[in-house]
Amino acid sequence: MRLSKPAAWPSRKVLHLARPHRIIVNALNVAFENKSLQNRREKYRELLVDLYELNKAVQVRGEERLLLGSVEPAPENGGNLFIGSIDRFTDIDAFAWYNRQRRRPASRKEREAIEIPPSMRANYKQFPILFDIASHRLVFLSKDGKLHLSARQVRLLISTLVERASVKAEYGNISVNIEQRPTAIENILSYDHIRKLSITLTRPNDTLGVLKAQFLNDLDHMRAGRADVIITADSSNRLKPNKDLRNLARSAASDGEVKARVLENGRTREVSSTDFPVEVSAQYSAKNEQISAFIRAAKRLLRMVARTLA
């Protein structure tokens, strides 16, 4: 006996589970070089507000610009944490306009006919930030799916802003460094063929371990804000860093940079500790959960840095 197909099959409810988004956060160490300001938290609060009020967009790549878009105290954190955003957009005025219909660059007359409000910009993207005035670390969203913002770009933004005349007049020199993975420096020091090693240390606020007292005293006596140590190998091309040099390099994880020229597989290349920023990840499902996921990851990163410096 043949069964006929029913007029309508019973409906089935299909549950569509939202694919979780994975975000990654990185951080900068923003530190006063002026000793009299280093332990005054309120000055870091004032610095952040002043940088925001500059309303200065910084070119980071081609027509892309970064701007410190918002800053406000985070609720229920005793005034130590500030949240906000870095905004990325395209500078429309820099466009090389193209006449799509005629398949040629736009003429001067055509460009003059284009009317765009002066305040409008295109391709807007927002990246949340969290600034801890106690540790003077700026944590930022660096990756969310295809959305990406590099630590070097954020360092360029902040280091450009702190060089503004009004900021320097108020706070003096300010060092801006990428918070790096300690393992990045160990990996650099472990290369068999190091031809040249460069260590840059800026005047820090944080512990320098066994080097802290001596290093700070030397900088004070010399009235120096930073130190650059360059070691070049002999004819063997196999530099062997000793204990003191290794300690010096480790101190750059928060307050500087370690670069090396290494020989690998018959080729010489440059490696830098800043290519490997400290990162923490988190996941979220719904769009409105991004900020809470970011704050969770940011606080985890701050705790990680605190343990490293303890």
Side-chain angles (χ1 to χ4, degrees):
M1 180 172 138
R2 188 175 180 182
L3 297 176
S4 61
K5 182 179 178 181
W9 292 98
S11 63
R12 294 182 180 178
K13 291 185 178 180
V14 180
L15 297 178
H16 294 283
L17 299 178
R19 175 180 293 181
H21 293 260
R22 180 173 178 264
I23 64 172
I24 295 176
V25 301
N26 301 148
L28 300 181
N29 179 12
V30 184
F32 293 129
E33 292 185 8
N34 187 332
K35 288 184 65 177
S36 66
L37 300 179
Q38 288 177 2
N39 295 318
R40 296 176 58 185
R41 295 183 181 183
E42 74 278 6
K43 299 305 290 184
Y44 281 106
R45 182 186 300 110
E46 294 171 10
L47 170 67
L48 184 64
V49 173
D50 286 347
L51 296 184
Y52 164 73
E53 291 182 346
L54 286 174
N55 194 20
K56 170 69 176 176
V58 175
Q59 179 180 0
V60 291
R61 184 178 61 182
E63 287 80 38
E64 283 188 354
R65 305 290 189 269
L66 292 182
L67 176 74
L68 195 54
S70 64
V71 166
E72 62 183 38
E76 302 178 3
N77 276 286
N80 282 335
L81 296 181
F82 280 72
I83 58 175
S85 71
I86 290 175
D87 298 341
R88 185 175 70 192
F89 54 84
T90 302
D91 191 344
I92 302 175
D93 294 336
F95 277 175
W97 293 97
Y98 181 74
N99 188 317
R100 175 66 179 85
Q101 184 177 12
R102 298 187 178 183
R103 304 187 189 185
R104 60 163 174 75
S107 66
R108 180 178 178 180
K109 185 176 182 180
E110 289 169 335
R111 293 196 303 270
E112 290 175 349
I114 299 171
E115 295 185 5
I116 299 174
S119 61
M120 292 294 101
R121 295 296 184 267
N123 300 325
Y124 161 72
K125 298 293 182 182
Q126 186 179 73
F127 299 82
I129 63 171
L130 185 146
F131 187 66
D132 178 22
I133 65 172
S135 66
H136 45 85
R137 261 49 176 201
L138 177 71
V139 187
F140 54 92
L141 177 70
S142 64
K143 191 172 183 180
D144 185 352
K146 295 182 179 180
L147 194 65
H148 179 65
L149 181 65
S150 75
R152 291 183 183 275
Q153 290 175 329
V154 180
R155 180 176 64 177
L156 176 59
L157 168 66
I158 302 301
S159 60
T160 300
L161 296 182
V162 300
E163 286 296 315
R164 301 284 290 184
S166 59
V167 177
K168 293 196 69 143
E170 179 67 24
Y171 305 100
N173 292 332
I174 300 170
S175 63
V176 181
N177 293 298
I178 296 172
E179 193 71 41
Q180 304 145 49
R181 304 176 207 168
T183 54
I185 293 175
E186 298 300 330
N187 290 342
I188 289 175
L189 297 177
S190 67
Y191 276 97
D192 288 333
H193 294 81
I194 302 177
R195 292 186 167 183
K196 184 178 181 181
L197 189 66
S198 302
I199 303 172
T200 298
L201 285 172
T202 57
R203 168 163 292 205
N205 293 4
D206 304 305
T207 178
L208 279 168
V210 297
L211 296 176
K212 180 179 180 181
Q214 185 61 47
F215 180 75
L216 290 179
N217 286 337
D218 288 346
L219 287 183
D220 287 344
H221 292 155
M222 294 185 291
R223 298 183 181 180
R226 58 181 281 172
D228 292 287
V229 178
I230 299 176
I231 306 294
T232 304
D234 58 20
S235 58
S236 70
N237 286 324
R238 300 186 67 169
L239 195 65
K240 293 185 176 181
N242 61 15
K243 180 179 178 181
D244 289 340
L245 194 62
R246 287 177 177 276
N247 285 335
L248 192 68
R250 293 185 186 108
S251 301
S254 288
D255 300 290
E257 181 179 6
V258 176
K259 294 181 180 179
R261 185 179 301 160
V262 301
L263 179 65
E264 188 178 41
N265 299 325
R267 301 184 64 179
T268 301
R269 67 187 185 96
E270 301 281 345
V271 292
S272 170
S273 58
T274 58
D275 292 332
F276 304 94
V278 166
E279 65 176 44
V280 168
S281 65
Q283 288 187 338
Y284 70 95
S285 297
K287 186 176 181 180
N288 61 359
E289 295 175 352
Q290 186 205 52
I291 296 301
S292 59
F294 166 75
I295 293 176
R296 289 199 311 271
K299 289 182 176 180
R300 281 178 53 206
L301 189 148
L302 291 172
R303 291 195 296 269
M304 182 188 301
V305 170
R307 287 195 300 269
T308 302
L309 298 174

